[in-house]
Amino acid sequence: MRAEDNINVIKGVGVKVADAFSKLNIVSVKDLMLHIPKNYELYEEPSALSEEKTGYKVALRGRVLNDTWFMRKKGGMTLNKVSFLTGDCKIGLVFFNMPYIKKAVEKEDEIIVRGILSHDRFGLHINQPAVFSLEKYKEVENTLVPVYSTVKGISNNAVRKYMAEAFASVSLKDDYLNADELNELGLISFPEALRALHFPRDYEDFVKGHDRLVFHEFISFLLPVKRDREASKYSFDKPMIEVAETVRYIESLPFELTDAQKNTWNDIKNDMTSGLCMNRLVQGDVGSGKTVIAFLALLMNCVNGYQGALMAPTEVLAKQHYENVKAMAELFPDAVRPVLLIGSMSAKDKNEARKRISSGDANLIIGTNALIQASVEYKTLTLVITDEQHRFGVKQRESLADKGGNVHILVMSATPIPRTLAMIMYGDLAISVIDVLPAGRLPIKNAAVDFKYRKKAFEFILDEVKKGHQAYIICPMVEDNDNDELQNVIDYTDMLNEIMPKGTAIAFLHGKMKGSEKNAIMDRFAGGDIDILVSTTVIEVGINVPNATVMLVENADRFGLATLHQLRGRVGRGDAQSYCIFMSGKTDQKVKERLEILTKYNDGFKIADEDMKLRGPGDIFGIRQSGEFNFRFADIYNDSTVLKKCAAFTDKLLLAEYNERMQEVSAGISDYDIGHVDFRTI
Ligand code: ADP
Ligand code: MG
């Protein structure tokens, strides 16, 4: 068997399985070997039962008290139930559609069961537990068992079996880092790391594999960015001048710009009149007022006679920007001619918009990233702004340069990233920081509470709704899957509809909805027609609904603090007092401590920093920060040590004397395609 062979050379992989694998982009044996587990199951020592563990996965040792009790429900579903004595506590075990379980679970058996402990009117029970004999559990106890992303037709166990086959007979190409380099960096080789990730001997072994993988992700990102930085001083052949319109626009605003906004605007004016391409990051916490800065740059660009584009990560945000830009256009009807371009528009409207762009009739283009980039001809594009979450790289610059010569690039980000890391990650950009919030904002009042507080939280939300305000409720998931530990948007909305008084307008929003559906919901929420919006984190980016004054975050322990901080930024945008409630079922001290960071600080940078201090190696599979740098495996905070090492190594490779080695490494990186996210592809 060779790495390049089709996966069907592995025993047991027939046409059907190979077909299923292809849905995961796994075609060759090598693809399989590079299919990194998405998580691990740690088989903990069986523990004693306690009420506190309700809602969490537990492993319990005990005795089966009776033979299973069987019933067939309407619709054909079967149910087996049995009583289980663990310690001096009796709980129920419930199995759906597993009639054969009665042979595996018999009266008087001593077994270990593992699953999520639930507590409802039937008392304490576990649905669909995994059942182990004592010996079988001993084998897995304290080991890490990989969990792979799979598709229908391939079970996790099957992947593990095929993986073992592949690793037994194939060895992958040597690492692109040589032994000396690995040694100096304190890393194991990539092939060895893959072995450690698929078959971890223990936790330490896994960590070594993980670090090598993380290094790989970092260097895949940093090397091109840093290499191209050298070449990124493009000259700009369309000189611009400062214009009176921007001064008038600032005067027309209902507020005065903060000093930080003024400084940032000065930086941008200097860039745009300098004769070189602007390549600038504006970094500012949520609510610091980045949008108005973007608008000023667009206005100056329009008045100079050119086209500018503002790219938003979501349609909802694009639409919101468009509405605001239209207001600006009313002030300067001759100079500013905006157009919107988003996927949910009809083909006819999209075509119309494209025509107006290519003819130059529209000169301020707002849309979602992909659309603005891919399918549009510009007449004189000179300014591109990305708002929230996306980097803009050299490749994009080149593709746009093909369309219209060199362009000024402005990146707006709220990612709370400490200075040292920012210098590494944004090495190719000049940075302006908006580090003060507009004056007069009432700080958001925060509370970190447990599930017992939910009823009170609902009452509180209802009070705010009665006052004419609106509320967000954030849940981690879209639909129920077998993990009943997490709140999900759809069931949650049903539940709210039942308990909230008639006439309360409740709606839900999640990322799997169609663009047009999302837009409709957001429009209604922004217009005040929806009182309570139950949503996944899709509302995280950018949305501005100042009348929303409460946010309740369910399962808050599931999110990185930076994400929670971003989420919370959706309230506290108006004059009224706003509130944020972080709800979590976990009562352990560490979770509390983490969430309390949010109640103590309102500054994204500070929060990220404190969060990092609290983290330990055990958090590796758990919470990852989101924000702009969605690496697949790496986390710039957790893995900052590896990141710093990687940056130093990359800098060394970029020295002239290492040029040849740099080329080799660049070429070698692509041998290990682990499907890392290319931030520079928007
Ligand atoms: P973000 O930086 O998160 O993108 P926005 O640009 O959406 O923040 O601004 C948040 C709110 O603050 C908006 O309603 C905006 O009009 C307002 N705002 C912006 N700058 C100021 C300022 N200097 N003073 C008062 N309000 C401001
Ligand atoms: Mg914004």
Side-chain angles (χ1 to χ4, degrees):
M1 192 186 302
R2 288 167 316 154
E4 301 73 37
D5 286 343
N6 188 289
I7 188 150
N8 64 21
V9 299
I10 295 175
K11 208 167 79 203
V13 179
V15 179
K16 262 201 188 141
V17 175
D19 207 47
F21 268 123
S22 73
K23 294 200 184 91
L24 294 164
N25 288 324
I26 296 172
V27 178
S28 67
V29 175
K30 179 178 165 190
D31 295 340
L32 179 70
M33 296 168 85
L34 290 172
H35 187 54
I36 313 284
K38 66 170 180 192
N39 208 338
Y40 293 81
E41 198 69 75
L42 177 66
Y43 287 89
E44 63 279 40
E45 266 171 53
S47 59
L49 186 66
S50 78
E51 192 78 20
E52 309 233 302
K53 292 186 179 137
T54 305
Y56 292 90
K57 204 161 240 182
V58 290
L60 303 169
R61 179 182 166 155
R63 184 159 53 89
V64 180
L65 292 178
N66 50 356
D67 285 323
T68 60
W69 170 80
F70 176 82
M71 84 179 259
R72 188 175 294 278
K73 289 183 107 175
K74 260 193 265 163
M77 180 160 88
T78 70
L79 212 145
N80 284 70
K81 244 186 118 167
V82 74
S83 291
F84 182 71
L85 183 70
T86 171
D88 48 14
C89 234
K90 215 166 82 173
I91 68 166
L93 307 178
V94 187
F95 303 87
F96 302 103
N97 290 331
M98 293 173 72
Y100 47 86
I101 198 74
K102 72 170 199 276
K103 294 221 178 73
V105 181
E106 291 183 313
K107 191 172 169 181
E108 297 302 327
D109 280 356
E110 274 289 320
I111 54 171
I112 288 170
V113 294
R114 188 163 178 276
I116 294 167
L117 187 65
S118 315
H119 195 180
D120 57 20
R121 64 203 158 96
F122 302 114
L124 279 172
H125 61 270
I126 301 180
N127 286 336
Q128 221 69 340
V131 176
F132 300 85
S133 66
L134 301 186
E135 303 79 61
K136 201 88 202 151
Y137 200 82
K138 261 278 160 290
E139 281 172 27
V140 290
E141 193 174 309
N142 283 323
T143 61
L144 294 169
V145 176
V147 179
Y148 294 95
S149 359
T150 54
V151 288
K152 213 168 158 243
I154 316 174
S155 69
N156 196 56
N157 277 338
V159 179
R160 291 178 54 207
K161 203 179 83 201
Y162 303 141
M163 201 67 82
E165 289 249 352
F167 273 82
S169 45
V170 170
S171 43
L172 285 175
K173 197 166 161 185
D174 281 346
D175 202 327
Y176 52 86
L177 300 175
N178 61 38
D180 287 345
E181 288 163 344
L182 288 170
N183 205 9
E184 194 187 308
L185 292 161
L187 295 171
I188 60 175
S189 78
F190 198 92
E192 176 58 11
L194 284 179
R195 196 277 311 144
L197 290 164
H198 291 300
F199 311 99
R201 286 194 267 268
D202 50 32
Y203 185 71
E204 310 274 286
D205 191 37
F206 158 77
V207 170
K208 283 188 186 145
H210 181 265
D211 281 356
R212 176 66 191 89
L213 184 75
V214 163
F215 186 93
H216 178 68
E217 260 195 308
F218 283 145
I219 198 166
S220 311
F221 168 75
L222 283 181
L223 193 54
V225 169
K226 290 192 170 218
R227 193 181 50 209
D228 293 330
R229 175 176 54 187
E230 313 301 315
S232 71
K233 283 274 172 235
Y234 295 101
S235 69
F236 194 84
D237 52 8
K238 298 186 177 69
M240 291 198 196
I241 51 166
E242 291 191 28
V243 296
E245 280 81 349
T246 55
V247 181
R248 261 183 62 207
Y249 183 63
I250 293 172
E251 280 164 3
S252 80
L253 293 171
F255 47 76
E256 188 173 349
L257 293 185
T258 61
D259 285 346
Q261 283 172 315
K262 285 181 194 160
N263 291 339
T264 301
W265 173 226
N266 267 333
D267 291 342
I268 292 169
K269 276 190 295 190
N270 288 340
D271 286 348
M272 288 174 67
T273 52
S274 73
L276 289 177
C277 280
M278 169 163 69
N279 210 5
R280 182 168 295 277
L281 166 74
V282 174
Q283 204 186 6
D285 211 343
V286 277
S288 62
K290 295 182 290 296
T291 314
V292 62
I293 300 297
F295 285 9
L296 283 167
L298 288 164
L299 178 59
M300 172 164 157
N301 188 66
C302 287
V303 177
N304 271 279
Y306 302 122
Q307 283 179 314
L310 175 59
M311 314 211 282
T314 64
E315 296 207 346
V316 171
L317 191 54
K319 278 194 65 168
Q320 192 164 50
H321 284 326
Y322 179 65
E323 293 306 319
N324 292 326
V325 161
K326 275 206 305 208
M328 179 169 80
E330 275 166 27
L331 281 178
F332 312 101
D334 297 331
V336 181
R337 301 179 303 275
V339 69
L340 179 71
L341 187 59
I342 54 178
S344 63
M345 282 164 45
S346 70
K348 183 165 157 278
D349 289 348
K350 273 187 263 190
N351 263 332
E352 181 66 25
R354 287 197 191 100
K355 264 191 212 139
R356 288 190 56 209
I357 297 167
S358 60
S359 72
D361 175 38
N363 64 358
L364 202 170
I365 299 105
I366 305 229
T368 37
N369 301 320
L371 268 188
I372 284 200
Q373 274 235 109
S375 56
V376 186
E377 289 294 322
Y378 295 89
K379 187 136 187 262
T380 50
L381 184 68
T382 49
L383 171 65
V384 174
I385 304 181
T386 63
D387 185 29
E388 312 273 3
Q389 275 217 322
H390 287 285
R391 284 186 60 86
F392 199 83
V394 175
K395 267 189 218 145
Q396 280 66 42
R397 177 190 283 287
E398 278 165 2
S399 89
L400 284 169
D402 288 344
K403 291 177 189 239
N406 281 329
V407 290
H408 291 308
I409 286 171
L410 191 59
V411 177
M412 323 278 278
S413 166
T415 302
I417 172 173
R419 185 97 200 149
T420 44
L421 300 186
M423 303 279 280
I424 295 174
M425 301 309 288
Y426 297 106
D428 51 339
L429 301 176
I431 305 181
S432 300
V433 181
I434 305 186
D435 52 4
V436 284
L437 291 183
R441 290 256 170 87
L442 291 171
I444 300 167
K445 291 194 173 153
N446 304 278
V449 298
D450 61 42
F451 290 160
K452 286 193 234 78
Y453 189 85
R454 196 177 280 131
K455 193 160 161 269
K456 268 203 176 139
F458 287 165
E459 283 164 10
F460 187 82
I461 287 174
L462 201 56
D463 274 350
E464 285 293 302
V465 167
K466 281 185 190 146
K467 285 185 209 157
H469 293 305
Q470 291 159 280
Y472 295 101
I473 297 181
I474 310 299
C475 301
M477 325 232 320
V478 179
E479 279 166 291
D480 201 10
N481 60 12
D482 53 3
N483 196 347
D484 52 7
E485 171 186 9
L486 297 176
Q487 297 295 340
N488 78 77
V489 170
I490 292 167
D491 290 350
Y492 202 100
T493 308
D494 288 347
M495 183 265 290
L496 274 183
N497 270 318
E498 251 169 54
I499 63 169
M500 288 287 172
K502 263 216 165 77
T504 317
I506 304 166
F508 62 79
L509 187 76
H510 59 75
K512 290 185 184 161
M513 283 158 73
K514 276 205 218 118
S516 53
E517 286 172 342
K518 278 190 268 188
N519 292 341
I521 296 283
M522 266 329 288
D523 283 349
R524 284 175 53 213
F525 189 67
D529 296 339
I530 294 172
D531 300 316
I532 303 176
L533 183 63
V534 182
S535 173
T536 59
T537 52
V538 291
I539 57 116
E540 178 184 342
V541 266
I543 296 302
N544 192 30
V545 180
N547 188 44
T549 52
V550 204
M551 173 173 284
L552 165 63
V553 185
E554 288 283 353
N555 300 99
D557 51 283
R558 282 289 165 148
F559 300 104
L561 292 191
T563 305
L564 290 174
H565 179 63
Q566 290 275 328
L567 283 167
R568 155 168 83 182
R570 298 312 110 217
V571 295
R573 297 183 149 251
D575 300 332
Q577 176 64 53
S578 286
Y579 307 87
C580 196
I581 306 163
F582 303 108
M583 181 90 67
S584 153
K586 296 210 176 165
T587 37
D588 77 76
Q589 198 49 35
K590 204 162 162 213
V591 170
K592 271 206 188 122
E593 242 177 273
R594 270 189 78 236
L595 290 177
E596 267 160 19
I597 292 177
L598 287 167
T599 67
K600 275 195 215 130
Y601 305 103
N602 243 328
D603 167 351
F605 290 75
K606 184 75 187 150
I607 287 166
D609 210 42
E610 291 292 316
D611 193 15
M612 197 154 68
K613 282 188 209 152
L614 261 192
R615 284 161 179 243
D619 296 324
I620 266 179
F621 340 111
I623 311 128
R624 285 156 34 102
Q625 296 296 353
S626 79
E628 189 162 342
F629 298 106
N630 282 316
F631 288 98
R632 263 190 79 188
F633 304 98
D635 176 307
I636 54 172
Y637 301 96
N638 278 349
D639 301 315
S640 60
T641 317
V642 179
L643 176 59
K644 284 173 192 159
K645 268 193 220 170
C646 182
F649 180 71
T650 311
D651 285 341
K652 190 177 116 184
L653 278 185
L654 287 169
L655 297 174
E657 68 223 71
Y658 288 99
N659 190 32
E660 204 174 316
R661 184 71 196 119
M662 190 272 284
Q663 304 286 351
E664 285 164 10
V665 171
S666 284
I669 285 173
S670 58
D671 277 336
Y672 301 122
D673 180 5
I674 51 168
H676 67 269
V677 184
D678 180 2
F679 305 97
R680 294 165 317 125
T681 314
I682 294 171

